Amino acid sequence: MSLEGFEVAVVGAGPAGSAAALTLAKQGVQVLLVERGSFPGSKNVFGGRIYSYALKRLLGEHWKEAPIERFIRKEGITFMKPDSAFGIEYETTDPSLSFTAIRAKFDKWLADQAEKAGASLISDARVDDLIIDSGRVRGIIAGQDKIPTDAVIACDGTTTGLARKAGLVEMLEPRTISMGMKDVVELPADTIEERFGLEPGEGTANVFVGSPTDGIRGGGFLYTNKESVALGLVVGAEDVSSRKISAPSLMEKMRNHPKIRRLLKNGKTVEYDAHMIPEAGPGMLTHPYTGGMLVAGDAAGHLLNNGYTFRGVDMAITAGIIAAETILEARKEKDYSASSLQAYETRLRREPSLSDMYRFKRVPKYLRNSRLYGVYPELVCAAAEAVYRVDGTSKKKIFKELRGQTKGRVSTLTLIRDLLGGMRTF
Ligand SMILES: Cc1cc2nc3c(=O)[nH]c(=O)nc-3n(C[C@H](O)[C@H](O)[C@H](O)COP(=O)(O)OP(=O)(O)OC[C@H]3O[C@@H](n4cnc5c(N)ncnc54)[C@H](O)[C@@H]3O)c2cc1C
């Protein structure tokens, strides 16, 4: 393939990059999509659930052709102590709103759609640097190849080398990063359906709070695929290193929790992966644009993990579309300067499906409260125990029981402050 004559280079064929490349290619732009993995998705890790709306916006009715594992019928949150658990479950009336997927299949399929629309994909090619001239990005450098383009869209994920090279971000701080780990455990489809109370094609998404993270900021997740279950953990990188805890040992603890052990009984672990997650939100970059370049997806902090929903892929797709639309506007005037491309930031802020990212910007700070992962999940389990345990001994009033549990661990004032903080944040 000749590497001359491309108008736009999109770096990274994750959801953000493929969405951007597809949107540009559909309008006849000569676009090069560069992926360092042997194929799109080959190295990409996530929990497992994608909100459908973004894919619908990108592909119209064709979104249903995506490699969908199961549509999410059930949502759950489970508070855990080492030996007990208390869960709440919600069943939606509209499972088409979100689905589970396997990234090696999903990312490849999405990049295929971009290629079908006319984008040129090269895999196994790492972009090492940017061509920068007179303070403006004018192309990419991959190995020996210097590829001049009018504009670059950096969709190179959390560690985004390109935004750093363009001076849009300093080194990432451990405080603003989480570590994600995931097992894929194979189980027959009918076993999954029986254990989780699902019909064929239906899935469940669960989060776990409390003992799986040993009091560290973060939580566990479980998603059902067709014939496998994704079980994982997301924990604050700084907390793990300051408490000198080995993250894999937390994973081991979660696998061995009685509730999880039962759900995954006789399953075969076929995969273990780990990946970083940006938690600083869009404030991670000074701006998501500079002269000649836009940044989208994880690379720009376009992700919202508020503890009960995890939105990364939908936001990455939406940001990729908006980045491409901004480039299409700039192309009309042939003006890719920073002052022209700053419209991108305004468009991101105005986009309803991304506005949660700005609305919930206090969430990361609120979620740094360690009581949310230690004493409070224990309290919830203790309350359940106080309600349900009948063993012939006389029962204390529930409030008295809970006050007993909190003694020396959290004052009433702190509890009220945390509650009000949560109400303000969410
Ligand atoms: C454990 C875990 C669980 C998660 N669970 C969920 C979930 O359930 N739902 C959800 O929506 N989100 C989830 N996320 C977040 C989600 O994975 C990301 O938000 C999403 O993948 C972001 O897409 P992206 O295209 O911006 O980046 P990525 O998916 O990271 O894609 C970046 C691409 O760029 C390529 N690349 C990087 N550098 C270069 C380079 N220099 N040259 C060429 N190519 C390069 C990479 O190989 C990769 O293909 C989870 C993340 C983790 C880690």
Side-chain angles (χ1 to χ4, degrees):
M1 181 195 303
S2 157
L3 296 176
E4 299 286 307
F6 287 106
E7 297 173 78
V8 182
V10 178
V11 181
S18 289
L22 192 151
T23 307
L24 289 169
K26 273 206 300 210
Q27 298 305 317
V29 178
Q30 295 299 312
V31 51
L32 178 65
L33 177 60
V34 190
E35 169 55 44
R36 70 175 172 191
S38 55
F39 63 89
S42 57
K43 290 186 174 169
N44 295 347
V45 180
F46 92 141
R49 178 235 287 257
I50 298 175
Y51 291 95
S52 318
Y53 74 89
L55 207 53
K56 279 183 203 165
R57 174 168 173 178
L58 183 66
L59 295 164
E61 279 309 294
H62 291 301
W63 79 274
K64 290 183 184 146
E65 293 157 19
I68 289 165
E69 291 286 308
R70 288 174 183 269
F71 285 104
I72 298 296
R73 164 71 78 187
K74 294 185 178 187
E75 305 263 0
I77 180 162
T78 307
F79 300 91
M80 284 178 159
K81 278 173 57 170
D83 51 357
S84 70
F86 176 78
I88 303 167
E89 194 175 77
Y90 165 69
E91 283 197 31
T92 176
T93 49
D94 186 359
S96 75
L97 290 176
S98 69
F99 58 89
T100 52
I102 292 172
R103 290 292 294 276
K105 292 183 193 167
F106 180 81
D107 288 16
K108 185 175 179 315
W109 174 83
L110 199 56
D112 283 350
Q113 307 313 302
E115 274 194 291
K116 279 183 196 158
S120 302
L121 168 72
I122 40 171
S123 299
D124 244 336
R126 189 193 156 84
V127 173
D128 305 305
D129 214 338
L130 296 166
I131 304 173
I132 300 179
D133 183 19
S134 312
R136 234 203 71 181
V137 174
R138 294 182 190 272
I140 53 170
I141 303 174
Q144 303 296 315
D145 296 310
K146 280 192 171 180
I147 307 167
T149 55
D150 296 334
V152 172
I153 306 181
C155 303
D156 52 340
T158 314
T159 48
T160 184
L162 296 192
R164 221 176 4 260
K165 284 182 195 293
L168 297 172
V169 63
E170 299 294 317
M171 281 304 282
L172 292 172
E173 292 175 39
R175 195 170 53 85
T176 61
I177 292 179
S178 287
M179 288 165 61
M181 293 153 280
K182 184 178 94 162
D183 283 348
V184 177
V185 182
E186 276 183 357
L187 279 171
D190 53 356
T191 307
I192 292 177
E193 283 141 23
E194 225 170 81
R195 281 190 195 166
F196 294 91
L198 302 164
E199 295 291 333
E202 290 181 349
T204 185
N206 263 278
V207 293
F208 305 110
V209 197
S211 63
T213 63
D214 219 1
I216 285 183
R217 172 172 69 92
F221 59 79
L222 183 154
Y223 298 101
T224 52
N225 297 319
K226 254 180 216 151
E227 293 182 320
S228 65
V229 172
L231 175 76
L233 208 53
V234 174
V235 280
E238 186 180 50
D239 312 30
V240 169
S241 78
S242 69
R243 285 206 19 208
K244 297 194 171 46
I245 290 181
S246 107
S249 74
L250 290 177
M251 236 350 242
E252 187 57 21
K253 229 180 190 168
M254 184 163 76
R255 286 181 199 114
N256 285 321
H257 190 282
K259 180 168 178 80
I260 307 276
R261 228 182 25 232
R262 277 194 303 272
L263 289 172
L264 301 184
K265 195 173 158 202
N266 297 331
K268 182 176 163 212
T269 304
V270 290
E271 211 180 295
Y272 174 77
D273 294 304
H275 204 273
M276 284 197 284
I277 301 166
E279 300 274 11
M284 175 175 138
L285 303 185
T286 47
H287 295 291
Y289 66 88
T290 184
M293 185 170 110
L294 299 178
V295 191
D298 272 13
H302 296 148
L303 179 141
L304 179 65
N305 176 8
N306 59 16
Y308 50 90
T309 56
F310 197 150
R311 295 179 53 193
V313 172
D314 59 307
M315 291 199 162
I317 291 175
T318 308
I321 297 172
I322 294 174
E325 288 172 351
T326 310
I327 294 289
L328 289 170
E329 279 301 309
R331 185 173 178 249
K332 287 183 192 157
E333 305 295 327
K334 292 219 172 313
D335 179 3
Y336 299 98
S337 64
S339 60
S340 158
L341 296 186
Q342 71 177 353
Y344 175 51
E345 196 163 24
T346 317
R347 293 175 81 122
L348 288 173
R349 283 181 178 274
R350 287 204 187 126
E351 169 58 40
S353 58
L354 295 182
S355 60
D356 289 358
M357 221 165 42
Y358 301 97
R359 186 169 307 119
F360 291 102
K361 63 176 189 282
R362 289 185 190 190
V363 167
K365 191 164 171 233
Y366 182 74
L367 292 184
R368 257 179 238 138
N369 177 352
S370 61
R371 289 181 291 277
L372 297 175
Y373 314 102
V375 61
Y376 294 151
E378 283 181 21
L379 268 182
V380 173
C381 290
E385 174 98 0
V387 171
Y388 292 114
R389 186 180 173 103
V390 176
D391 59 5
T393 59
S394 80
K395 279 169 102 63
K396 283 187 198 159
K397 289 206 165 142
I398 294 170
F399 182 71
K400 225 172 173 183
E401 175 72 43
L402 291 180
R403 282 310 298 146
Q405 293 275 342
T406 54
K407 257 209 179 109
R409 304 177 73 197
V410 57
S411 70
T412 310
L413 199 67
T414 306
L415 207 149
I416 292 170
R417 223 178 33 222
D418 286 344
L419 264 174
L420 289 177
M423 281 161 68
R424 269 198 304 271
T425 307
F426 294 100

